[in-house]
Amino acid sequence: MPTEQVRAVRRTGIDHDPQVVGTPEDLAAAIRDVISECEAKEPPEAVFSRDADKLEYLIQNVEYKTQGYEHAQRWIDNGQGRPTTKAANSLPDPL
């Protein structure tokens, strides 16, 4: 989700997230619950999921860098240290 969109969702609440608007209420509620868990970093599965997302971001940008995209290193540097688990933070160094 683009940064501007993320800021708008934070300002107005998850109900205004374009990924949820127009969805049946039971599905929208399930999506809101998952997002809330991830943001609260509870339960442990949410922490794992969030770290997996951050690692995928790093790996994707390493791929961009190898393809010649010159600004990818800035994104790699920015993404390192973002995961919260010890295991996840030990992986970006070899990348």
Side-chain angles (χ1 to χ4, degrees):
M1 185 181 302
T3 304
E4 182 178 310
Q5 209 173 12
V6 170
R7 287 186 188 129
V9 169
R10 287 183 181 150
R11 263 194 322 273
T12 59
I14 192 66
D15 292 328
H16 295 89
D17 183 338
Q19 298 177 78
V20 176
V21 171
T23 357
E25 182 50 38
D26 57 340
L27 179 58
I31 293 169
R32 287 191 298 269
D33 288 347
V34 169
I35 292 171
S36 294
E37 283 181 354
C38 287
E39 289 177 350
K41 300 179 184 173
E42 289 289 331
E45 293 85 358
V47 175
F48 175 81
S49 173
R50 192 165 195 251
D51 276 3
D53 185 50
K54 301 298 180 188
L55 290 172
E56 191 276 334
Y57 169 86
L58 285 168
I59 292 167
Q60 184 179 36
N61 282 291
V62 168
E63 290 175 4
Y64 290 158
K65 183 178 176 182
T66 61
Q67 293 171 3
Y69 187 71
E70 60 189 58
H71 299 291
Q73 185 61 51
R74 185 183 72 184
W75 294 340
I76 293 167
D77 294 342
N78 185 45
Q80 288 184 334
R82 296 285 177 129
T84 56
T85 61
K86 184 178 177 180
N89 274 316
S90 69
L91 293 176
D93 288 336
L95 295 177

